[in-house]
Amino acid sequence: MKDSFSDFNAHGTGGQHPAADNAAESLAPDLLAAIRRYEQALMGNNTAVLSDLFANDPDGIPSVRSDDKGVLAGHTAISTFRSRRRNAPTRTLRRRIARQMDESTACVVSQFDKATGGSVIQTQVWQRIGESGTWKIVMAHLTYPTPAIDRSIWRVVGSPLVEATKPGPLSGMTVAVKDLYAVQGQRIGAGNPAFLRTSPVCAESAPAVRLLLNAGAQITGIAQTDEFAYSLAGTNVHYGTPPNPKAPGHVSGGSSSGPASAVACGQVDIGLGTDTAGSIRIPASYQGLWGIRTTHGRISCEAVHPLSQSFDTVGWMTRDAQTLEFAGKALMPDKDTVKSVAKLLVSPKLDECVTADVREAFSRFRAVSRSAVRSGRIGMLGDCDEVQFDSQMLDNLLSIFQAVRGYEAWRNNGDWVGGHYADLAPEIAARFECDSHIPQSRYEQGLEHLRQARSMVRNLLGSNVLLIPSASSTAPAVAHTGDTEGIENARAHTLRLTSIAGVAGLPAVNIPLETADGLPCGACLLGPAGSDKLLIRIAKELYRNSM
């Protein structure tokens, strides 16, 4: 066994200090060469060399790279993550401690000074791989300096930002508020720094915020949103993409992206968001969270920056169903207008809308749920049945949704957006530009079609609950700047599913599931209007019986 240790005091400006490896000569020469090759490739952002130096899952066991944002398992996932990194790090080696356990295994711990401040600790396990005995990394972990505020998640944070008004059932719980809600003494930024600068200071908090404060919760901070809540991806060109700890290297889901990441990362208990086209259900599905969009109009959207009043709803996300239910009691102190439901409805035709991995996970949950209902284990449901949503029906619902939402989005934001196109992400600007050309006659026709479609979907569901996939896929990978095709495709397919609840104005709960590869996805349970709290209880029971 060979050990080596380097410790020195001189500071460098980037790359590697010349004295860093003096004590590393006791390592096997080819290992030392591999370590140096890795560092050179990292500094040069040479993704081909970096990919080559990570072992390609020897003996069927995945190689691992982990950091504060999560775990990447498998050579493909690690290489894909590397390929999407935009900039090479600038850092100086400060200290390296290496222990060669035997002729084929070594552990290397390195400390680097970051050019931007603070230190990075990098721990790597190297092994000789294959007949050639080439040194490869099989495990790597990086510990980064902890930022005071992760700007991709938070716009402003306090300790807390707002104290609870009084003790209550949510005492001790913390909340991330989406940057669309008025919070007394703060401004609404709507995910855009130029808009934030022009916003007035809020004289009082939105009703939904006050309900949480009156129930004993405290507001940790105001969390980021996609610009004007006009996306389902969770990407924001101004503040960055909030992390997805359940799927590192993948988008967080939007537009309630900041609150979702704050919950998933364990920074708060409740993420207060909004849902117009799926902005609660999608980030919840992508990040393995519980989430609910409430019946349209049940919770006041007063003092919430609007996207489309015909569809905007209050919603929230939590890590567990019990907290989702606790928050629901605080935010909906009134009683459900629906006391019971009859059947669990499913629509196998909708399986065509989702990718194979999501289809497999959802189908398994659906089968278990149907069995539980038919065996009487779900006392709130008496039977199961099927209902048909064909492609033409979904296309019609989405067309109605897009016409009405687009007109209202421009009516609500056009005065500001029209003078600030250059301050918007290109895809958001393009949506608003398209919306600006929707004539009032088409909008009025859309409203009439919306009334008809809302009635049709509600009659189709009746006094039952409907189980469908929450999203068309797992979270898409974070794209290069300007390379948004995959994210936009996922958005288009997902909207066909989310528009069912959106057009009908129905409550919908995301139940977290996982694919065979361990990526988060979701099952969405829709219920009759006014069944919100009952719907949460039914979702809890379906999930419990699937375990």
Side-chain angles (χ1 to χ4, degrees), residues 80-98:
T80 302
F81 165 79
R82 293 281 193 203
S83 70
R84 294 192 174 96
R85 191 180 60 191
R86 296 172 186 172
N87 301 304
T90 303
R91 64 191 196 179
T92 303
L93 180 62
R94 173 64 37 206
R95 173 186 295 181
R96 172 170 288 144
I97 303 172

Side-chain angles (χ1 to χ4, degrees), residues 373-509:
V373 170
R374 285 170 172 161
S375 67
R377 295 198 303 275
I378 310 295
M380 291 172 279
L381 294 169
D383 199 1
C384 297
D385 205 348
E386 290 189 8
V387 64
Q388 294 302 320
F389 283 90
D390 59 35
S391 296
Q392 185 62 52
M393 184 187 300
L394 294 181
D395 290 343
N396 290 340
L397 293 179
L398 182 55
S399 178
I400 293 166
F401 174 84
Q402 289 174 327
V404 174
R405 183 208 48 193
Y407 185 92
E408 292 180 349
W410 182 255
R411 183 181 64 190
N412 291 321
N413 299 286
D415 287 346
W416 188 91
V417 168
H420 293 84
Y421 275 117
D423 294 317
L424 295 170
E427 66 272 16
I428 304 299
R431 282 177 203 144
F432 277 119
E433 167 62 21
C434 181
D435 294 341
S436 71
H437 300 292
I438 299 174
Q440 184 174 351
S441 59
R442 184 184 171 198
Y443 171 61
E444 291 173 351
Q445 184 182 50
L447 285 178
E448 177 58 31
H449 289 163
L450 174 60
R451 283 190 286 271
Q452 295 171 3
R454 182 162 289 185
S455 177
M456 180 270 293
V457 174
R458 290 188 177 192
N459 288 336
L460 196 60
L461 264 65
S463 60
N464 308 303
V465 294
L466 171 66
L467 188 66
I468 67 173
S470 291
S472 66
S473 68
T474 58
V478 177
H480 287 293
T481 302
D483 177 21
T484 58
E485 182 178 354
I487 291 174
E488 288 301 300
N489 283 340
R491 176 180 183 272
H493 290 300
T494 291
L495 280 170
R496 300 176 81 238
L497 292 168
T498 59
S499 62
I500 297 173
V503 166
L506 298 178
V509 173

Side-chain angles (χ1 to χ4, degrees), residues 275-276 293 296 308-313 401 404-405 450 502:
D275 189 307
T276 303
R293 73 156 267 141
H296 184 255
S308 174
Q309 288 92 336
S310 291
F311 306 107
D312 293 347
T313 58
F401 174 84
V404 174
R405 183 208 48 193
L450 174 60

Side-chain angles (χ1 to χ4, degrees), residues 56-74:
N56 193 358
D57 306 337
D59 301 320
I61 300 174
S63 298
V64 174
R65 181 199 180 277
S66 61
D67 58 21
D68 58 320
K69 292 181 173 62
V71 175
L72 292 171

